Amino acid sequence: MSATPTDPSATTTDPATDPATDPAVGTSRNVAWFTELGLADLEEVGGKNSSLGEMISNLADAGVRVPPGFATTADAYRRFIGETGLAERIESRLEGLDTDDVTRLAEVGREIRELVVAQPFPPDLEADIRGAYERLAADHADASFAVRSSATAEDLPDASFAGQQETFLNISGIEAVLTAIREVFASLYNDRAIAYRVHHGFAHEAVALSAGIQRMVRSDTGASGVMFTMDTESGFTDAVFVTSSYGLGEAVVQGAVNPDEFYVYKPALRAGRPAILKRGIGSKATQMVYTDDATVGRTTEFVDVPIERRGLLSLTDDEVTELARHALAIEEHYQRPMDIEWAKDGTDGLLYILQARPETVQSRASASQTQRFRLKGSGPLVVEGRAIGQKIGAGPVRVLASAAAMHEFRTGEVLVADMTDPDWEPIMKRASAIVTNRGGRTCHAAIIARELGIPAVVGTGDATAKLGDGREVTVSCAEGDTGNVYDGILRFDVETTTLDSMPELPVKIMMNVGTPDQAFAFSRLPNAGIGLARLEFIINRQVGIHPKALLEADSLTGELADEVRAATAAYDSPRDYFVTRVAEGVSMLAAAFAPHPVIVRMSDFKSNEYANLVGGSNYEPHEENPMIGYRGAARYLSEEFAECFAMECEALRYVRDEMGLTNVKVMIPFVRTLTEAKGVVELLGRNGLRRHENGLEVIMMCELPSNAVIADQFLEHFDGFSIGSNDMTQLTLGLDRDSALVAGGFDERDPAVKFMLSAAIKACREQGKYVGICGQGPSDHPDLAQWLLEQGIDSLSLNPDTVVDTWQRLAGVTAAPTS
């Protein structure tokens, strides 16, 4: 598909007719045009509207498009409240209000809002609004308008008021606009807004409201969403996170839809390279569209998305990239992480920025300290969804059908609802965790849960059906992008690491990471890179289908054909699906740990493991002992697997050569003979991964006794060894560690095993080549770690949950002198 146009001139309006640049309009004490505003006007028009003006004035040359409009001023709001006597009536109702009494809070809030909506505007304010609307509508005769709130204390760097006030969409005609503005003013006294101000120490009278009247982007026939200039869960700052769904963006913001998700790598974007790290297809079952009713509150509706469109991506790669460029330009201008709403117009095909405000959660987190939650117990999995945050919470379930039932909620319960929107804020802070049927990572409910530091699992689909009141559950967001709800109260630990106080070590500590979903979070641990990234883990998680089934998709029949067709619908071909998904997994790891090395081991499935993939049983042989059978280098060199291996190589070549993530190194597992060593390196070259070209290093997994016995000769073909102590121990001692009959004899510290390890390390040191170990042994056995350091090993690659303990234990250990 073609790229979205990026020429700013495509939407340039004639200054002679554009009301936003008409010198006759000017700024009154009641109304200001966006083009006249900037961040310095925050006290006059609030954070949202001043930011719109800032972008129009400063970022048009960068291609950032903002729809035209005007704002009522904070002074106009204060006069509306003060001159009409509303202020006294509001104050009398708020005096002494206990916002924890949700029933009384609801009563008072409703009374105040009714007072505001019923109050006519002062004549001069109404006249100014009418005049500005006529000028704006004159240039956009067929357009409808959005009426949005912009509070003077909203969107500040240290206070997120996201979703506290109302937005009205698809408003047509001046009478409807006037009503919508009063509704916006009234929403300053929503229950959630009143409670929020009290809990965060803002005086009610200190906050004024501006209403922004802005031309609607026809995203009802296009797409829209939210993007952040950092990862909202881990705080990783080198990626733009984009969500997208069909229709108006309120569906994403409200959490009514599970959107598509994209990650875009900033360094690649700046370099003009392909930069999309991840594409996630959301269910997108519904979309918000216009109605023909111009009455406030009934101008939009939800309709079902056709089933055939749900499995497709709502944005092209070019559109995602353009949005990320806009996000980068906005972040660089504001000099801080940003939270941005955007829309794609279905009529002109262009992308517009609707709002931009500071990100207020991760950007305030301590960069020198990391907290890691670890689940210790186990229990049956009840439901799963999208993880919000990286914490764990537990307690009895409370299922609520609506905010009207909030009085039933007790502190410490797990809030379960179809969709938690900001109306629920008064009780969200009292929950131990939140679980919803619907919603994505950028809905207002998720933003507030994140700000409150409460784990939330959203978009489960059926939580309200599967979880009943009083049932004790554990909600875990500490296991990657997927949030899990387990039956029962499970044990968990919380580990806090002060990163700036980690002691110096005589060896590099790397990590074994195979789950791209957790890469950003793991990268915050002290590390020297990834010593083992298992490609089979990525294939299993990202692809899930046997590569030969994808290559032969056209000849498949029955249920297997249907499953492959459904999984690959959003991609150019089944082959493209494999290459793209594997490239995404590898690039997520590489980007998270750059510039440190990321050693990617080519797939090392055994035949019985390959058979477990979708369609795998059709292609895999039955072997009595797969562990020493059709795997590793021998599989790559076989004619039957040649095209499958070519796809793996294509994915890695794309990550390194196109995306520029040259910190990726290639590792070959289970190389039995020198003939295989030579053959597989030549095969890599024929598939575009030529050793030492573009800095490519090829590492060999040293895991067979033959590898250590003639290590010097194997090293002629490779740039170093990564010792796989598990297989080396099994094959040296001739025992199966999975057999209960002999597993007791498995010990990496056996003299015969240490002889092999020593020989491999010595050979690498003598040739000045890399040598590391990626087995579990150094974590399990401190004396083995000490011995490895004495042998002169370069790195220990550990499971992430053992990094801090092992690091601290090794502090002060003396390494062998360099030969």
Side-chain angles (χ1 to χ4, degrees):
M1 300 179 70
S2 61
T4 302
T6 58
D7 182 4
S9 66
T11 55
T12 298
T13 306
D14 182 0
T17 59
D18 183 5
T21 57
D22 186 350
V25 176
T27 301
S28 73
R29 60 189 301 206
N30 291 325
V31 170
W33 291 97
F34 288 163
T35 49
E36 302 167 319
L37 298 171
L39 291 182
D41 301 299
L42 185 145
E43 289 299 323
E44 182 180 15
V45 293
K48 194 171 295 155
N49 289 333
S50 63
S51 183
L52 289 171
E54 182 76 12
M55 289 188 291
I56 288 174
S57 301
N58 295 282
L59 295 175
D61 290 344
V64 176
R65 302 180 193 86
V66 177
F70 65 92
T72 62
T73 64
D75 184 55
Y77 168 81
R78 292 189 181 98
R79 290 182 53 242
F80 171 61
I81 295 294
E83 293 180 4
T84 60
L86 278 173
E88 292 82 1
R89 286 178 282 170
I90 292 171
E91 183 179 354
S92 68
R93 285 163 174 79
L94 291 174
E95 187 174 357
L97 176 65
D98 178 6
T99 56
D100 289 330
D101 182 346
V102 294
T103 301
R104 181 59 183 156
L105 173 63
E107 292 174 357
V108 170
R110 183 178 62 254
E111 289 177 13
I112 294 174
R113 294 192 297 274
E114 289 173 351
L115 289 173
V116 175
V117 173
Q119 179 65 52
F121 287 118
D124 65 318
L125 172 57
E126 181 168 333
D128 285 348
I129 294 172
R130 286 180 179 274
Y133 175 81
E134 288 174 7
R135 291 175 180 272
L136 181 61
D139 255 8
H140 306 281
D142 298 328
S144 61
F145 300 89
V147 181
R148 305 179 189 276
S149 63
S150 180
T152 57
E154 184 179 36
D155 302 333
L156 297 180
D158 57 353
S160 173
F161 279 64
Q164 296 303 320
Q165 281 77 56
E166 298 293 346
T167 290
F168 298 93
L169 306 177
N170 190 28
I171 305 299
S172 298
I174 183 58
E175 298 304 327
V177 167
L178 288 168
T179 300
I181 293 173
R182 284 195 296 271
E183 292 276 6
V184 163
F185 287 175
S187 72
L188 191 60
Y189 296 95
N190 278 337
D191 302 352
R192 61 184 184 253
I194 295 171
Y196 192 96
R197 288 194 293 273
V198 170
H199 297 152
H200 289 80
F202 288 90
H204 296 294
E205 64 275 12
V207 182
L209 209 62
S210 165
I213 295 82
Q214 186 178 34
R215 180 177 69 80
M216 283 288 294
V217 174
R218 289 302 306 266
S219 58
D220 60 309
T221 58
S224 56
V226 180
M227 56 184 173
F228 289 82
T229 60
M230 68 189 308
D231 178 44
T232 55
E233 307 310 318
S234 68
F236 182 72
T237 58
D238 264 348
V240 177
F241 175 54
V242 181
T243 64
S244 171
S245 192
Y246 303 122
L248 299 171
E250 285 300 299
V252 176
V253 170
Q254 292 176 10
V257 64
N258 297 335
D260 298 332
E261 296 182 351
F262 307 86
Y263 282 103
V264 186
Y265 188 44
K266 291 179 185 176
L269 195 65
R270 293 188 183 101
R273 293 179 175 273
I276 299 177
L277 297 172
K278 180 180 179 181
R279 304 161 185 82
I281 301 174
S283 56
K284 304 185 299 297
T286 187
Q287 70 183 93
M288 182 183 281
V289 299
Y290 290 173
T291 66
D292 295 327
D293 192 339
T295 305
V296 173
R298 292 195 299 240
T299 57
T300 61
E301 64 180 350
F302 283 99
V303 299
D304 291 340
V305 174
I307 291 177
E308 62 273 14
R309 295 190 70 205
R310 297 179 189 181
L312 305 179
L313 290 165
S314 52
L315 289 175
T316 66
D317 281 3
D318 289 332
E319 289 166 344
V320 173
T321 301
E322 182 183 349
L323 282 172
R325 287 198 189 101
H326 293 343
L328 203 57
I330 293 168
E331 180 181 55
E332 289 173 352
H333 178 76
Y334 284 81
Q335 291 294 294
R336 61 175 302 111
M338 299 294 290
D339 169 358
I340 302 162
E341 292 184 26
W342 64 270
K344 175 187 174 183
D345 194 304
T347 301
D348 63 24
L350 298 178
L351 297 167
Y352 294 84
I353 301 301
L354 306 180
Q355 295 182 34
R357 52 181 167 255
E359 194 279 341
T360 59
V361 180
Q362 287 294 347
S363 57
R364 286 186 291 171
S366 171
S368 63
Q369 196 174 73
T370 181
Q371 196 176 55
R372 180 165 168 75
F373 283 65
R374 292 189 295 179
L375 200 60
K376 303 294 286 185
S378 62
L381 178 66
V382 185
V383 294
E384 63 181 23
R386 200 71 167 87
I388 303 300
Q390 297 175 331
K391 296 183 178 181
I392 299 173
V397 165
R398 176 69 65 181
V399 181
L400 296 183
S402 72
M406 286 194 295
H407 62 279
E408 301 174 6
F409 192 82
R410 299 290 177 267
T411 299
E413 292 180 325
V414 174
L415 175 61
V416 178
D418 178 57
M419 181 176 72
T420 53
D421 62 38
D423 282 329
W424 301 63
E425 192 269 344
I427 63 166
M428 289 172 72
K429 63 180 175 25
R430 292 157 44 195
S432 60
I434 298 167
V435 184
T436 70
N437 292 340
R438 295 188 285 164
R441 278 178 51 183
T442 56
C443 68
H444 279 147
I447 292 172
I448 292 175
R450 202 176 287 121
E451 180 175 325
L452 294 172
I454 298 170
V457 177
V458 300
T460 64
D462 55 4
T464 54
K466 288 189 174 181
L467 299 172
D469 280 350
R471 182 176 185 174
E472 292 189 328
V473 298
T474 299
V475 180
S476 173
C477 295
E479 300 167 83
D481 281 356
T482 300
N484 299 310
V485 181
Y486 297 101
D487 190 38
I489 305 293
L490 306 181
R491 294 185 303 110
F492 62 89
D493 290 340
V494 183
E495 179 182 88
T496 300
T497 303
T498 303
L499 303 181
D500 55 8
S501 65
M502 295 299 289
E504 291 292 326
L505 287 184
V507 67
K508 293 180 179 178
I509 299 294
M510 304 178 80
M511 277 188 266
N512 302 331
V513 182
T515 52
D517 289 351
Q518 294 179 282
F520 291 163
F522 286 156
S523 70
R524 299 190 70 182
L525 293 170
N527 72 88
I530 296 180
L532 173 61
R534 299 174 174 93
L535 204 62
E536 65 271 14
F537 282 17
I538 294 173
I539 293 171
N540 188 64
R541 191 176 185 89
Q542 302 278 111
V543 178
I545 302 170
H546 195 284
K548 295 207 75 169
L550 293 168
L551 290 168
E552 299 177 8
D554 291 342
S555 62
L556 300 178
T557 59
E559 292 183 4
L560 178 57
D562 293 340
E563 192 164 354
V564 170
R565 190 180 303 113
T568 62
Y571 298 81
D572 291 342
S573 67
R575 190 182 195 283
D576 176 63
Y577 168 76
F578 182 95
V579 172
T580 300
R581 296 288 288 168
V582 171
E584 288 174 354
V586 173
S587 66
M588 284 285 284
L589 297 175
F593 285 82
H596 295 309
V598 172
I599 301 175
V600 178
R601 187 179 72 185
M602 306 302 279
S603 66
D604 195 25
F605 282 116
K606 288 78 171 175
S607 55
N608 60 321
E609 295 168 339
Y610 254 126
N612 290 329
L613 296 177
V614 172
S617 59
N618 295 346
Y619 302 102
E620 290 299 318
H622 173 73
E623 296 183 280
E624 292 298 330
N625 194 342
M627 198 277 288
I628 54 173
Y630 186 43
R631 62 177 289 202
R635 180 182 277 263
Y636 309 154
L637 291 165
S638 68
E639 185 176 345
E640 294 80 7
F641 197 75
E643 190 59 24
C644 301
F645 186 68
M647 290 196 295
E648 294 182 23
C649 292
E650 183 178 343
L652 266 66
R653 186 174 70 248
Y654 178 84
V655 172
R656 284 182 46 82
D657 297 348
E658 301 301 319
M659 299 185 73
L661 288 162
T662 54
N663 59 322
V664 170
K665 301 182 181 185
V666 172
M667 183 155 67
I668 304 298
F670 225 74
V671 184
R672 293 177 170 95
T673 66
L674 293 173
T675 300
E676 286 184 356
K678 180 180 178 182
V680 77
V681 172
E682 291 175 350
L683 181 60
L684 284 171
R686 291 197 297 273
N687 282 294
L689 292 173
R690 295 175 183 83
R691 184 180 170 210
H692 298 164
E693 188 174 286
N694 197 18
L696 175 63
E697 293 184 15
V698 181
I699 309 297
M700 190 187 89
M701 195 86 171
C702 180
E703 54 191 334
L704 297 111
S706 62
N707 301 154
V709 170
I710 54 171
D712 289 341
Q713 296 178 63
F714 276 104
L715 284 171
E716 292 176 10
H717 305 282
F718 296 97
D719 297 296
F721 284 166
S722 180
I723 297 170
S725 58
N726 291 341
D727 276 355
M728 181 66 82
T729 301
Q730 291 187 87
L731 296 170
T732 299
L733 301 180
L735 59 79
D736 179 2
R737 66 185 171 124
D738 294 328
S739 170
L741 299 175
V742 297
F746 183 92
D747 191 342
E748 299 98 324
R749 297 167 296 177
D750 185 277
V753 178
K754 291 172 75 172
F755 177 86
M756 296 296 179
L757 302 187
S758 179
I761 295 170
K762 181 181 178 182
C764 289
R765 284 172 58 82
E766 288 178 348
Q767 294 194 30
K769 294 188 175 183
Y770 166 81
V771 60
I773 188 168
C774 55
Q776 187 66 24
S779 296
D780 293 341
H781 307 297
D783 56 331
L784 178 62
Q786 169 78 51
W787 180 83
L788 288 166
L789 264 64
E790 292 170 354
Q791 299 302 303
I793 201 160
D794 293 323
S795 73
L796 307 177
S797 192
L798 312 171
N799 293 334
D801 61 353
T802 66
V803 164
V804 174
D805 287 345
T806 305
W807 188 300
Q808 292 173 338
R809 191 174 64 240
L810 291 175
V813 174
T814 304
T818 303
S819 59

